[in-house]
Amino acid sequence: TSIEPSFTQSQALRTTAFWIIGFCVFQMSLVGTGVTLHFVSIFEGKGFSMAYAAGVMGVRPLAGLGATILAGIMLDRIGHHKQVLAAACLIQTIGFFIVALLRTPAMGFVYATVAGVGGGLASISIGVLTPNLFGRSHIGGILGMSVAINVLGSAIGPILFGGAYDLFGRYNEVILISALLPFLAGTLCLFIRSRTQTPSPDLRRKIPRRSSN
């Protein structure tokens, strides 16, 4: 058997790695939900119809589906989970700049593809990185905190976007400012260190080795 370090929720909360991942989750839900719930209004403000906005919105989950499947296979083979998460955040940043500079119908579909790929990569990267960093024995409590952070971001995002529209009369300002969040998150991901603390011996989980036969 080999020993797998397994963090409790309280131990995980005392690591920098958890809060970097938490910030990634928070900014994704904040900005993502803000854009999604104001999506039609954003596109109408740039002169596009509601039908066009709905069509663009339909492309995003399809791109995300493909990216999630491919990312899962890629992460199993190459590892480098934090680098993939950083790349996903960078892709998210590019997507928001595309929305802010949206001028042609084709750019809308480019945004949907980029946003879908970025979201798919980020979701699977976080899903793989979290148990790899903190173990699996207490993963329910750790993921519970991540979900709470996600819900908080989802609650704040639409309010910020709505307030920005009331203040500026358009969404460009809040979109461009929001693009800084995934850029910061991606930069921070590169500083994640594997298992920044060693759990006490009783919190280590024995993992049976696979037989070579």
Side-chain angles (χ1 to χ4, degrees):
T1 60
S2 60
I3 301 298
E4 175 190 79
S6 189
F7 290 69
T8 64
Q9 184 191 77
S10 61
Q11 285 179 315
L13 291 176
R14 291 196 293 270
T15 65
T16 303
F18 175 85
W19 291 108
I20 292 176
I21 295 174
F23 179 67
C24 291
V25 171
F26 177 76
Q27 63 85 19
M28 283 176 57
S29 60
L30 185 151
V31 184
T33 307
V35 170
T36 299
L37 294 186
H38 292 270
F39 197 75
V40 172
S41 182
I42 291 171
F43 273 64
E44 286 184 333
K46 293 181 176 292
F48 297 101
S49 68
M50 184 183 298
Y52 169 77
V56 169
M57 198 64 179
V59 172
R60 182 174 174 175
L62 294 177
L65 175 63
T68 299
I69 295 172
L70 293 176
I73 298 172
M74 179 181 67
L75 287 172
D76 285 341
R77 293 185 177 181
I78 69 170
H80 303 294
H81 305 143
K82 67 179 183 181
Q83 289 86 353
V84 175
L85 180 55
C89 292
L90 177 60
I91 292 171
Q92 186 184 7
T93 300
I94 294 171
F96 293 134
F97 278 114
I98 293 174
V99 172
L101 301 174
L102 189 64
R103 295 292 184 273
T104 67
M107 288 181 68
F109 290 104
V110 171
Y111 159 73
T113 303
V114 169
V117 169
L121 282 176
S123 296
I124 195 69
S125 299
I126 292 171
V128 172
L129 187 59
T130 301
N132 282 353
L133 287 173
F134 305 114
R136 292 173 289 173
S137 293
H138 307 279
I139 195 65
I142 295 170
L143 289 180
M145 284 298 300
S146 294
V147 171
I149 292 171
N150 180 72
V151 172
L152 178 63
S154 297
I156 295 174
I159 297 174
L160 289 180
F161 272 67
Y165 183 80
D166 289 340
L167 180 62
F168 299 109
R170 60 179 189 172
Y171 293 98
N172 263 23
E173 286 79 7
V174 69
I175 291 172
L176 289 173
I177 293 172
S178 297
L180 299 177
L181 297 179
F183 180 80
L184 175 59
T187 302
L188 291 174
C189 285
L190 299 177
F191 294 94
I192 292 176
R193 292 184 296 172
S194 297
R195 291 166 183 151
T196 53
Q197 68 180 60
T198 302
S200 57
D202 60 317
L203 293 174
R204 296 178 181 178
R205 181 182 179 185
K206 292 184 178 181
I207 306 297
R209 294 187 183 276
R210 293 183 178 179
S211 173
S212 58
N213 296 332

